[in-house]
Amino acid sequence: MPLHVPPAPAPALRSVLTALGSPTAVREARTSSLRTAQGPLTPELPLPVHVLDRITPEGMSATRLAGWRFLIRCGDRALAAAETRLTPDGWAFSHFFEGPYLASTELALQQSESTAHPYQARLLSLPSLYMLTLWLHGDCASNGTTGHPAPTDLLVPLAPAPPGIAAHRPHRVAELLPVLTLRVTRPPLLGSPA
């Protein structure tokens, strides 16, 4: 069943297109692949980036929308990503970047295309664990800007994943939550103040 990708806000897409059309923005980007690209660059697969600030034994806090991420393609491959963020004036281009999360995101999206259940694709960042996941949200009708990981949603850790958590292996939120909770709330070492 194909994944549903929510449409990005039009101002977010326009800000990325403007940055791609700016020789200064592309030249000053810390992404050599953009500077040396031969051919047109196109933003594709807009994914809302949600941040999960707190994981406790009681569960996960609500997520907050931090931005939209677009994969930047040249021909048939993703060279970089562009991120936008919400400012008081609306959606604005933030930065271009490259690195291991690009290929990992593409692989996770490809693997997720074969799921039997329809999902909406999102990204979920867990800063306390230095972890980024593809969040397969069960509510495909959502606009992608709000929500909370439901127990039946899937999280696919992207590489590089934290030690002991397998990248590209889908986990139901209800199954992964105890593992994440244990990692965040480690017991104090012997002899240390509680």
Side-chain angles (χ1 to χ4, degrees):
M1 177 118 354
L3 291 178
H4 297 271
V5 177
L13 177 57
R14 277 195 304 272
S15 72
V16 171
L17 290 169
T18 300
L20 284 171
S22 165
T24 304
V26 171
R27 188 176 55 248
E28 292 180 1
R30 292 189 169 101
T31 53
S32 60
S33 59
L34 285 182
R35 291 191 302 268
T36 59
Q38 301 294 316
L41 300 170
T42 57
E44 296 181 1
L45 287 170
L47 296 173
V49 180
H50 292 261
V51 176
L52 182 65
D53 290 315
R54 218 178 58 234
I55 303 170
T56 66
E58 293 77 37
M60 298 181 171
S61 65
T63 64
R64 62 182 167 81
L65 180 66
W68 285 81
R69 183 173 295 173
F70 298 78
L71 293 181
I72 306 300
R73 290 196 180 282
C74 182
D76 63 348
R77 62 181 220 130
L79 299 178
E83 194 139 320
T84 63
R85 60 185 170 86
L86 190 58
T87 68
D89 296 324
W91 288 101
F93 170 74
S94 175
H95 62 281
F96 293 115
F97 66 93
E98 58 189 358
Y101 284 127
L102 293 178
S104 186
T105 300
E106 277 194 304
L107 178 59
L109 286 166
Q110 288 169 359
Q111 290 173 333
S112 299
E113 284 287 338
S114 63
T115 61
H117 183 73
Y119 288 104
Q120 183 184 81
R122 303 171 171 201
L123 293 172
L124 180 64
S125 173
L126 296 97
S128 59
L129 294 171
Y130 301 99
M131 183 176 174
L132 184 64
T133 69
L134 176 64
W135 172 13
L136 301 176
H137 188 51
D139 181 5
C140 295
S142 167
N143 65 6
T145 61
T146 60
H148 186 275
T152 56
D153 286 354
L154 296 178
L155 296 178
V156 183
L158 300 180
I165 296 176
H168 299 286
R169 182 171 169 256
H171 302 271
R172 292 222 178 273
V173 168
E175 296 163 358
L176 189 57
L177 181 60
V179 175
L180 299 178
T181 302
L182 183 62
R183 292 207 163 220
V184 172
T185 58
R186 292 198 184 269
L189 297 173
L190 291 177
S192 64

